[in-house]
Amino acid sequence: MTPSSNPPAPPATTDVLIVGAGPAGLALAASLRQLGVDHVLIDRHDDVQPGSKAAAIQPRALEYLDRTGVADRLIQAGDRGRGFRLHDRTQTLLSASYDNLDTPYPFVLLISQQTTETHLLAHLDELGGKVHRGHTFLGYTPDFPGVAATIAGPDGIQRSISARYLIGCDGVHSAVRAATGIGFPGNAPEQLFAIADIRTNSPALPQEDTTFYLSPAGMLLISPLAGGLHRVVGPTPNPATPTADDIRRLLAERGPHADDIQVTEVVSASTYRVQERVAERFSDGPVFLAGDAAHTHSPAGGQGMNTGIQDAGNLAWKLHAVLTGLAPTTLLDTYHHERHPIAAGLVAFTSQFATLANLRDPADGELRNRVLAAAASTPGVTEWIATKLAQLDLGYTNEPDHGPVGTRVSPNTVPTTGLHWTLALDRPDHTGDHGVLAIRHVSGLESPLLVRPDGYLAAYGVPTEPEKVLDQLSSYLPAHPTR
């Protein structure tokens, strides 16, 4: 690359410096752009990376992405799956259907992470944002009240960016996390996974549901994708990039019992080691972690990328509130206190799920299968599983005396209003926008509701006058740990 072909250097000062343009970084950048927050987004790669692991967007993440205006285009680019199945190679043991979930998106969106990032990037571009490609984060020093970050550009020249806040969205091997000294405890099982997007000649592979095949030979996850593709993921002893023969062998040993399944094309393939880790802290002064930089999961359950997108949703409105003077800086302390328990719980859940799916002893496997079949016939169990996998049960309080504050508000109850705060009233004469507050008529409400920009309940029984709610908005902010 010649000096004349180098892209413009990022600005030397910004309110928010985001490192990493994966799903969490792109979702955060688009949210900040929508809110009018000055930011810089850098990424060391020259383009969206192929061969990424995530293959599904859950309803809760779609609800947030709808607030940023990108959900519809993602839905058009993917396929709608009805839910998840556990299968013993001959029959379904348990099926968790999303059909009756209380959400505008009662399905799991089957779409590759690469496609998701491509559409998030296009949306950011439409909002007037951009990614500064080929820029590597090297470290930072305190520069009250923020940081001075050192980055290296594609020309090899080191530059400094002064930022009020620094956000690490730079993945499992996060340089931002390393620079803070925040620990990343957890497990790194010596288990290698193969992952491949393929085309096959077989109608025996699942066409609607992401399916976990359970066998003594090991787990195999098969998920349909748009364009007639299937994503295949499973443990492997071979560190080499999987070939068509390798994938055919996995399907024959662990997949559906069917006539010989031929792999007609391997579109992409790789191997990776599973890690199950959660950062000790999600923030350190003006530095924050989100996405895989903060937590990394087993692929079981399709939770990781979705959790990172929701990290972005939690952090974006809080940064906006602090930077615009709407809230004190202590509001940002609630990011760790709200998101860390969520991530820790999901990592534990996916780890247990993976352990259950990977039982190799035939007797243990048979017992597991009988338990799953019994659970499937127990009223309420499959509905609970579907709600959990869809992430619709996640909230920021589990203490009964707090009432519903901190719980998710279904968009079927209170329609989304972008990244505004929403005052829901049973008064059709009160609608419209009042600055950061949107007023919506919702018939049948027992009490006025105030909904946060990320879709969680801030308060109920609030005044019906928008001016009073705005005057008292600081009193409805989360101000201390709720777990």
Side-chain angles (χ1 to χ4, degrees), residues 117-167:
E117 290 184 21
T118 298
H119 285 282
L120 287 172
L121 183 61
H123 181 60
L124 177 62
D125 181 69
E126 290 171 359
L127 292 171
K130 66 177 297 184
V131 181
H132 294 273
R133 295 282 182 187
H135 288 80
T136 302
F137 172 84
L138 300 178
Y140 74 92
T141 57
D143 184 18
F144 185 82
V147 302
T150 302
I151 65 171
D155 53 8
I157 297 175
Q158 294 188 14
R159 297 176 174 85
S160 179
I161 297 180
S162 179
R164 178 65 183 87
Y165 296 103
L166 169 63
I167 319 297

Side-chain angles (χ1 to χ4, degrees), residues 295-357:
H295 45 80
T296 180
H297 308 235
S298 160
Q303 304 291 292
M305 180 181 72
N306 293 271
T307 308
I309 289 170
Q310 291 173 72
D311 291 341
N314 186 286
L315 186 56
W317 73 267
K318 293 176 180 179
L319 288 167
H320 171 258
V322 170
L323 287 166
T324 58
L326 185 67
T329 57
T330 53
L331 174 64
L332 291 171
D333 295 338
T334 67
Y335 172 68
H336 167 83
H337 292 299
E338 290 188 338
R339 294 305 300 169
H340 188 275
I342 296 291
L346 287 172
V347 168
F349 169 68
T350 58
S351 177
Q352 292 166 355
F353 195 112
T355 299
L356 184 71

Side-chain angles (χ1 to χ4, degrees), residues 77-100:
D79 281 349
R80 303 185 186 201
R82 296 190 60 188
F84 286 78
R85 289 192 297 161
L86 294 171
H87 203 282
D88 71 355
R89 304 192 70 204
T90 60
Q91 63 181 345
T92 297
L93 301 169
L94 183 148
S95 178
S97 171
Y98 283 21
D99 289 353
N100 297 317

Side-chain angles (χ1 to χ4, degrees), residues 409-425:
V409 177
S410 171
N412 287 337
T413 301
V414 178
T416 57
T417 55
L419 295 179
H420 287 86
W421 290 76
T422 306
L423 176 60
L425 303 173

